[in-house]
Amino acid sequence: MNYDEYPEFPRWEKNFTARSGEGLTIRNLSVRDMRWPTSLGAHGSDAMHTDPDYSCAYVVIYTMNDNEGHGLTFTLGRGTDIVVQAVHALSHLVVGQDAADIFNDFGAFWRKLTSETQLRWIGPEKGVMHLATAAIVNALWDLWARIQHKPLWKLIADMEPEQLVRCIDFRYITDVITPEEAVKILRERKPNRDRMEREALTRGYPAYTTQVGWLGYSNETVTQLCHKYLSEGFTAFKLKVGQDLQDDKRRCKLVRSIIGDDKILMVDANQNWDVQEAIAWMKELAVFKPLWIEEPTSPDDVLGHLAVSKALAPLGISVATGEMCANRVMFKQFLQSGAMQYCQIDSARIGGVNEILAVYLMAYKLGVKVCPHAGGVGLCEMVQHLQLFDYICLSQTSEGRFIEYVDQQHEHFVNPVHVRNSHYMPPKAPGYSTELRREAAEGYEWPVGSEWQKLFASGKFQDPKHVPTLPPTKH
Ligand SMILES: C[C@H](O)[C@@H](O)CC(=O)C(=O)O
Ligand SMILES: [Mg+2]
């Protein structure tokens, strides 16, 4: 890769090895409950999550020599405190470790974290425990990339196939892909890496927007936002559906009338339907020519998604899912069975970068397109790195693929996403783009942040210290 063509980019070194005993011992791990009052404007609302307050459990890892790694997992408000507790419960596995040792055998460390002999009982590898794992693991990757002075996508795109594969725990997926096969695939794709990287740096990676389509938005808001995003060059738009069929028809008609027939429309039911209901409902919406129906039913129902896929294929509608897919094992089954045609990895639901790399490899091998879920706090910031890895090292195409884009909470990050003409431009700053600005951390920490104190005083939110609790039970 010739960086003389990109004078604004730093000269990244190929070296990625971290050396133990150089002050990289992890001395502390902090975690905070961060929330934003998005429910007030119905931002992020869908058929199942009608009042989301976009939130995250925000982890910072500190080393002895004062390096930092920032990581997070996305949540919707209530319950973030439970994820914070789960992070505390896992922290004894992290604090005191030498980060260099972790990075030099990351797959083994990941297995240790997800196999904690008592905590795994309340997972395993799913739910709150896995959200907490994601926040910690994302912070570790941010730390590693910062130490190497590279954005995360560049750190992983520069790795030798063997080094990258060493970061992955292949337990439970070797029936689909083995480490040896993964190395072979990455080696075969390696000669094109420089070219793909050059193209990504020049053109960026295509995005679609969900900002126009939150379920709680009025006609006026939807109309205004469709015009706004059209004028910014967007060609693909996602709309929330699933609560009321007549209303869905009205909203799909409205959006189609503005974006025209040449643009792409996707619809997202956020798990609201039974399988047969999903099929019947989507037959009614087929006239609006949606590219995909997202999360038509329970995120755990592999065969249900397969039935929906088969029923809707003749209508030209695909099935997309993954934002609540619990782990690589569930992804394996969706991918193997043909139950998903678009694989929507989420950077903060499964166990961080390591497990997501496994999903990318399986999706590549099984020929399924990956279109990451994003939009929640920090998700756009993170998934851009992951999809760039796919573009440079694996699929090496963006044909028929996009990264979701939602314009919320970016201003709170030190290195927010940069979207130009509906394309994510590759981040340049070292790390995983996960660091929150100090003012954001101080303003929105729940419930003590200054912004929350103002909201309590205004009566828009109730201060949890005034929420009545039950008297202690008498035995
Ligand atoms: C509650 C979230 O906003 C959810 O609706 C996001 C989602 O499904 C998506 O972006 O896709
Ligand atoms: Mg969705």
Side-chain angles (χ1 to χ4, degrees):
M1 174 78 197
N2 178 10
Y3 281 101
D4 293 340
E5 294 168 43
Y6 301 93
E8 78 276 25
F9 273 76
R11 302 294 190 272
W12 288 308
E13 299 295 325
K14 281 273 178 195
N15 163 47
F16 79 101
T17 319
R19 279 177 289 274
S20 45
E22 291 190 353
L24 287 175
T25 301
I26 295 168
R27 66 171 164 83
N28 196 11
L29 180 156
S30 75
V31 55
R32 297 163 92 171
D33 179 339
M34 304 295 309
R35 306 188 191 186
W36 282 264
T38 48
S39 62
L40 292 177
H43 311 302
S45 55
D46 64 49
M48 289 290 244
H49 314 100
T50 49
D51 61 348
D53 284 325
Y54 272 24
S55 305
C56 66
Y58 177 51
V59 169
V60 187
I61 285 172
Y62 304 87
T63 64
M64 289 293 198
N65 59 2
D66 289 330
N67 279 295
E68 289 179 14
H70 299 245
L72 57 90
T73 190
F74 173 59
T75 47
L76 289 191
R78 291 185 293 280
T80 310
D81 45 340
I82 303 173
V83 183
V84 165
Q85 286 309 316
V87 170
H88 282 304
L90 285 167
S91 62
H92 71 278
L93 295 170
V94 182
V95 176
Q97 298 298 312
D98 193 311
D101 295 341
I102 293 177
F103 302 146
N104 289 328
D105 202 358
F106 213 161
F109 177 78
W110 191 92
R111 181 179 286 197
K112 205 169 132 195
L113 201 59
T114 52
S115 309
E116 210 271 6
T117 51
Q118 297 187 355
L119 287 171
R120 79 177 298 283
W121 196 260
I122 57 172
E125 300 184 37
K126 62 173 78 72
V128 172
M129 287 315 300
H130 227 33
L131 291 171
T133 300
I136 293 173
V137 168
N138 288 337
L140 286 169
W141 278 94
D142 181 57
L143 173 67
W144 194 3
R146 282 165 186 254
I147 292 169
Q148 296 304 322
H149 306 290
K150 291 180 184 180
L152 178 107
W153 64 266
K154 180 69 179 156
L155 173 76
I156 45 182
D158 279 351
M159 283 186 182
E160 290 301 323
E162 293 78 2
Q163 293 153 348
L164 190 115
V165 165
R166 208 171 155 72
C167 297
I168 300 171
D169 183 359
F170 282 81
R171 181 154 67 179
Y172 309 136
I173 59 169
T174 49
D175 50 330
V176 164
I177 193 159
T178 61
E180 294 72 28
E181 264 180 295
V183 167
K184 187 165 171 278
I185 290 170
L186 288 163
R187 260 199 214 131
E188 280 163 9
R189 314 296 286 164
K190 203 169 166 224
N192 298 330
R193 280 190 192 181
D194 278 2
R195 182 170 57 84
M196 301 316 297
E197 185 175 332
R198 248 191 326 269
E199 286 186 12
L201 289 169
T202 316
R203 289 194 214 138
Y205 197 95
Y208 75 85
T209 180
T210 309
Q211 195 70 52
V212 300
W214 302 122
L215 206 65
Y217 278 1
S218 65
N219 275 357
E220 293 68 41
T221 306
V222 172
T223 305
Q224 182 245 316
L225 288 171
C226 282
H227 286 299
K228 173 179 176 331
Y229 285 96
L230 275 174
S231 75
E232 289 177 15
F234 279 84
T235 57
F237 301 77
K238 191 165 86 185
L239 199 57
K240 297 290 174 175
V241 295
Q243 261 185 4
D244 178 307
L245 180 57
Q246 294 317 314
D247 204 45
D248 287 351
K249 287 183 179 174
R250 184 186 58 72
R251 295 167 70 256
C252 285
K253 193 169 167 195
L254 173 67
V255 172
R256 264 284 176 232
S257 75
I258 302 169
I259 66 172
D261 290 336
D262 59 324
K263 303 288 186 301
I264 293 170
L265 177 69
M266 302 94 150
V267 292
D268 185 355
N270 287 91
Q271 315 155 23
N272 206 34
W273 301 318
D274 278 0
V275 173
Q276 292 310 324
E277 191 183 12
I279 294 168
W281 201 297
M282 284 311 298
K283 282 185 176 167
E284 295 280 335
L285 297 186
V287 52
F288 302 106
K289 303 247 171 295
L291 172 69
W292 75 50
I293 170 62
E294 181 171 323
E295 291 201 300
T297 191
S298 161
D300 300 339
D301 189 353
V302 181
L303 297 183
H305 278 79
L306 181 59
V308 177
S309 300
K310 283 184 179 159
L312 298 183
L315 301 174
I317 305 172
S318 298
V319 168
T321 190
E323 70 181 72
M324 285 216 191
C325 194
N327 52 46
R328 68 197 176 288
V329 189
M330 291 296 294
F331 270 110
K332 180 183 76 171
Q333 295 180 36
F334 275 100
L335 292 165
Q336 267 179 316
S337 62
M340 62 164 62
Q341 291 82 61
Y342 290 94
C343 171
Q344 297 179 300
I345 54 111
D346 177 300
S347 54
R349 175 155 300 272
I350 64 174
V353 179
N354 313 56
E355 193 171 16
I356 291 166
L357 292 174
V359 177
Y360 270 111
L361 284 160
M362 289 192 289
Y364 174 75
K365 186 176 169 196
L366 296 170
V368 178
K369 291 174 183 156
V370 179
C371 293
H373 168 240
V377 182
L379 300 187
C380 298
E381 273 69 22
M382 288 186 275
V383 294
Q384 56 179 344
H385 291 268
L386 305 170
Q387 196 74 350
L388 280 167
F389 154 75
D390 180 63
Y391 185 71
I392 295 167
C393 299
L394 213 47
S395 74
Q396 301 186 329
T397 176
S398 59
E399 191 64 39
R401 295 158 167 85
F402 330 78
I403 305 176
E404 184 171 10
Y405 177 64
V406 173
D407 201 359
Q408 290 179 200
Q409 282 79 45
H410 301 303
E411 69 277 20
H412 301 302
F413 285 87
V414 174
N415 296 299
V417 287
H418 176 36
V419 172
R420 193 176 73 199
N421 191 26
S422 79
H423 285 63
Y424 279 83
M425 298 313 291
K428 300 170 190 170
Y432 198 8
S433 311
T434 33
E435 182 176 359
L436 281 171
R437 288 157 56 94
R438 183 182 286 269
E439 310 86 81
E442 285 168 6
Y444 292 96
E445 182 168 3
W446 173 267
V448 291
S450 50
E451 296 300 322
W452 283 111
Q453 292 301 315
K454 283 186 223 159
L455 284 159
F456 298 150
S458 71
K460 288 185 178 148
F461 274 81
Q462 195 173 17
D463 189 332
K465 71 173 176 265
H466 299 315
V467 176
T469 48
L470 291 172
T473 316
K474 287 205 179 80
H475 292 288

